């Protein structure tokens, strides 16, 4: 009978040594990070202040702060765990912004509701919880790397290019004696009976078994386009409930941002008019939600020039080091401030904050002729920023657009609040670095 693991017995000393070696990796589990953060970050500072004085522990401001800090820590770690399920996410990179955002939200609620709190405990809980979780995740990453056993056969050659993952290629239906994250197999391949029994036994033993295509999507953050089918995309239509909730949230946030940034919009518009002749705004017809055209608004970043009617497709492209871009325009493009007027597109329901970038009509028609099912990307509202933008940057060539479609389809397939929040965080980093701007 083919078994999932080798039945060779371990000596008591070897078994104890193996358990000790695995223990640091257990710090990567949510329960240990949460327990340590609550004990060290919440209870320990209160103990140092009040010791065994029960009356001090039960003071209203003390109880309120303990509860508030605990809720903030729980929400932050649950949110971070959702982020880490997405491709290319390193826990330690998003730990501080996620924890800080959670504490700020809880603090704002207490402030506006006039709930008294301990000014010493609240920031102390944040700092200690951050230090503990960062330590736990660093240790876990050192002692518990992502490892997968690879069943031979089928299209498994592309796995080697994935970074930060160890691949153990199997030569016989038996797992190596190392801690594994799962087994990878091309389920489209006709496998030998002993391999099929091996995979079934591993699944029954609790070992996770991944189809090669599923893992490639998770690691790379893109959906390979073969044919438009439910097997490829999971669902032809994105979540209708979240689609409606997202539109409502987009509208409210756009209204708030418009009120706050209106003076900035006016100043940028005046600066553009002073630097070069022409209008402050650039309006272009683009293809949007459900294939409908709309007028997208941006700040003008190029000098006004006559567009040759013979080649509108070329005029719609921005070339590397394009000499039409003004000095102010380069700054606006690098910081993405040129996209701010699209707030009005969001208020009109034509765009979202997050989604596939809308293309000019000439380019969209060209891509539709060259790439099958290109129009499928219009099933969600286009966005100011998107999954393709934070992974790939600005592209125009057909082969690059096909690559961009892989990212767009991944976004549609995994359409969710968590993916949108991850794109927001990466967009903020891009605004600082200027990645992908032209």
């Amino acid at each position: 009978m083919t078994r999932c693991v080798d039945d060779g017995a371990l000596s008591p000393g070897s078994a104890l040594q193996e358990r000790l070696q695995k223990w640091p990796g257990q710090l990567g589990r949510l329960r240990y990070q949460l327990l340590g953060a609550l004990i060290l970050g919440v209870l320990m500072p209160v103990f140092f202040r009040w010791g065994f004085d029960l009356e001090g522990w039960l003071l209203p401001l003390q109880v309120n702060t303990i509860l508030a800090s605990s809720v903030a820590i729980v929400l932050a770690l649950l949110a971070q765990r959702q982020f880490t399920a997405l491709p290319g996410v390193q826990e330690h990179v998003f730990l501080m912004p996620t924890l800080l955002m959670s504490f700020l939200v809880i603090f704002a609620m207490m402030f506006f509701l006039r709930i008294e709190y301990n000014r010493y405990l609240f920031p102390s809980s944040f700092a200690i919880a951050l230090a503990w979780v960062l330590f736990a995740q660093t240790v876990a990453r050192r002692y518990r790397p992502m490892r997968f056993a690879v069943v031979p056969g089928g299209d498994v050659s592309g796995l080697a290019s994935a970074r930060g993952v160890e691949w153990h290629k199997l030569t016989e239906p038996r797992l190596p004696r190392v801690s594994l994250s799962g087994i990878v197999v091309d389920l489209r391949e006709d496998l030998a009976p002993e391999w099929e029994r091996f995979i079934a036994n591993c699944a029954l033993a609790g070992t996770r078994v991944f189809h090669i295509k599923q893992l490639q999507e998770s690691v790379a953050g893109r959906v390979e386009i073969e044919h438009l089918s439910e097997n490829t995309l999971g669902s032809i239509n994105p979540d209708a409930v979240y689609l409606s909730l997202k539109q409502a949230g987009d509208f409210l946030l756009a209204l708030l941002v418009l009120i706050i940034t209106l003076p900035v919009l006016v100043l940028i518009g005046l600066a553009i008019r002073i630097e070069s002749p022409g209008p402050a705004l650039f309006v272009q017809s683009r293809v949007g939600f459900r294939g409908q055209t709309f007028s997208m608004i941006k700040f003008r970043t190029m000098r006004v020039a006559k567009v040759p009617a013979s080649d509108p497709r070329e005029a719609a492209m921005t070339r590397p080091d394009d000499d039409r871009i003004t000095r102010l325009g380069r700054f606006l493009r690098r910081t993405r401030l040129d996209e701010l007027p699209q707030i009005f597109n969001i208020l009109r329901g034509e765009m979202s904050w997050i989604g596939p970038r809308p293309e000019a009509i000439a380019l969209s028609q060209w891509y539709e002729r060259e790439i099958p099912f290109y129009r499928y990307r219009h099933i969600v509202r286009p966005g100011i920023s998107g999954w393709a933008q934070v992974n790939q940057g600005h592209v125009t060539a057909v082969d690059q657009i096909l690559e961009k479609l892989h990212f767009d389809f991944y976004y549609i397939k995994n359409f969710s609040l968590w993916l949108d929040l991850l794109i927001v965080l990466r967009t903020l980093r891009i605004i600082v670095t200027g990645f992908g701007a032209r």
Side-chain angles (χ1 to χ4, degrees):
M1 179 180 177
T2 302
R3 295 187 180 276
C4 182
V5 294
D6 194 341
D7 289 333
L10 289 175
S11 66
S14 299
L16 176 61
Q17 184 179 9
E18 184 179 359
R19 284 196 294 270
L20 290 175
Q21 289 174 346
K22 287 183 178 180
W23 182 83
Q26 298 300 310
L27 292 178
R29 293 183 177 274
L30 177 62
R31 66 179 73 122
Y32 296 121
Q33 294 178 16
L34 187 56
L35 183 62
L38 293 176
I39 293 175
L40 299 177
V42 179
L43 299 182
M44 187 177 71
V46 181
F47 180 79
F48 282 160
R49 173 66 180 85
W50 296 104
F52 296 100
D53 183 359
L54 186 60
E55 292 184 1
W57 281 74
L58 295 179
L59 288 173
L61 81 165
Q62 202 68 54
V63 174
N64 294 342
T65 310
I66 290 174
L67 293 176
S69 300
S70 300
V71 170
I73 290 171
V74 171
L75 290 178
L77 292 185
L78 289 177
Q80 194 201 23
R81 188 51 53 100
Q82 294 294 326
F83 285 143
T84 56
L86 299 169
V89 176
Q90 296 178 338
E91 286 182 317
H92 63 284
V93 174
F94 292 95
L95 173 61
M96 183 170 181
T98 305
L99 194 63
L100 180 61
M101 186 181 302
S102 181
F103 267 82
L104 288 177
V105 168
I106 298 298
F107 172 76
M109 292 176 61
M110 296 179 69
F111 180 80
F112 286 112
L113 294 175
R114 298 183 180 275
I115 299 174
E116 57 180 346
Y117 61 94
N118 188 316
R119 296 181 181 180
Y120 151 76
L121 178 59
F122 206 62
S124 299
S125 296
F126 167 78
I128 296 174
L130 175 64
W132 159 252
V133 179
L134 185 61
F135 167 78
Q137 291 179 356
T138 302
V139 172
R141 192 168 57 249
R142 169 67 177 83
Y143 288 94
R144 195 184 183 187
M146 190 176 291
R147 297 190 186 101
F148 290 95
V150 182
V151 174
D155 184 20
V156 296
S157 57
L159 289 173
S161 60
R163 294 177 296 177
V165 182
E166 294 182 12
W167 307 104
H168 295 263
K169 295 183 178 180
L170 302 178
T171 57
E172 58 179 343
R174 183 171 289 118
L175 291 182
R177 283 200 167 275
V178 293
S179 177
L180 292 173
S181 304
I183 300 173
V184 187
V185 59
D186 189 345
L187 296 176
R188 297 165 296 192
E189 186 74 5
D190 290 329
L191 299 173
E194 60 269 21
W195 282 108
E196 291 184 351
R197 286 192 293 269
F198 164 75
I199 293 169
N201 289 332
C202 287
L204 291 174
T207 303
R208 302 185 70 184
V209 179
F210 297 92
H211 177 35
I212 175 65
K213 194 172 186 64
Q214 176 188 4
L215 197 62
Q216 284 174 330
E217 289 180 13
S218 178
V219 172
R222 31 178 277 169
V223 172
E224 297 291 342
I225 302 171
E226 295 174 352
H227 47 80
L228 194 58
S229 69
E230 292 189 12
N231 290 336
T232 299
L233 293 164
S235 174
I236 293 298
N237 297 100
D239 187 343
V241 175
Y242 180 61
L243 198 64
S244 300
L245 291 175
K246 183 180 179 186
Q247 184 182 9
D250 285 336
F251 180 87
L252 294 175
L253 181 59
L255 192 61
L256 177 63
V257 172
L258 177 61
I259 295 172
I260 296 174
T261 62
L262 189 57
V264 178
L265 294 173
V266 174
L267 289 175
I268 293 177
L270 290 174
I272 292 172
R273 293 294 303 273
I274 293 172
E275 185 188 34
S276 62
L281 297 177
F282 172 73
V283 181
Q284 186 182 51
S285 295
R286 302 239 174 160
V287 181
F289 186 45
R290 294 176 178 169
Q292 301 295 316
T293 59
F294 71 100
S295 298
M296 193 188 77
I297 310 169
K298 298 177 64 175
F299 278 125
R300 179 174 60 83
T301 58
M302 293 184 174
R303 298 177 182 87
V304 177
K306 292 183 178 181
V307 178
S310 58
D311 195 1
R313 190 174 71 193
E314 182 69 22
M317 294 183 181
T318 303
R319 300 181 295 271
D321 300 320
D322 200 313
D323 56 7
R324 296 173 296 173
I325 302 176
T326 64
R327 184 164 51 183
L328 175 60
R330 292 195 183 280
F331 170 77
L332 295 176
R333 283 171 173 264
R334 191 186 70 81
T335 57
R336 301 315 199 261
L337 289 174
D338 62 318
E339 312 284 0
L340 269 181
Q342 287 161 44
I343 293 173
F344 295 101
N345 292 120
I346 296 176
L347 292 173
R348 293 198 303 228
E350 298 163 338
M351 291 184 64
S352 171
W353 288 101
I354 303 296
R357 282 296 293 167
E359 296 289 357
I361 293 179
L363 291 177
S364 184
Q365 292 174 344
W366 176 35
Y367 299 146
E368 287 180 24
R369 290 193 300 268
E370 298 291 333
I371 302 174
F373 46 83
Y374 174 83
R375 284 176 60 83
Y376 179 73
R377 73 194 295 269
H378 303 316
I379 199 169
V380 295
R381 283 180 176 79
I384 294 179
S385 183
W387 186 241
Q389 276 61 47
V390 299
N391 283 282
Q392 189 185 27
H394 179 85
V395 296
T396 52
V398 170
D399 58 338
Q400 295 174 318
I401 291 297
L402 182 60
E403 186 82 2
K404 181 179 181 180
L405 271 185
H406 294 163
F407 290 110
D408 287 341
F409 278 23
Y410 180 88
Y411 174 76
I412 295 169
K413 180 176 180 179
N414 297 276
F415 190 62
S416 66
L417 172 64
W418 302 110
L419 187 54
D420 281 347
L421 289 175
L422 177 60
I423 294 171
V424 169
L425 292 174
R426 288 190 172 179
T427 301
L428 294 175
R429 184 179 64 182
I430 285 172
I431 289 175
V432 176
T433 62
F435 167 77
R438 282 193 182 178

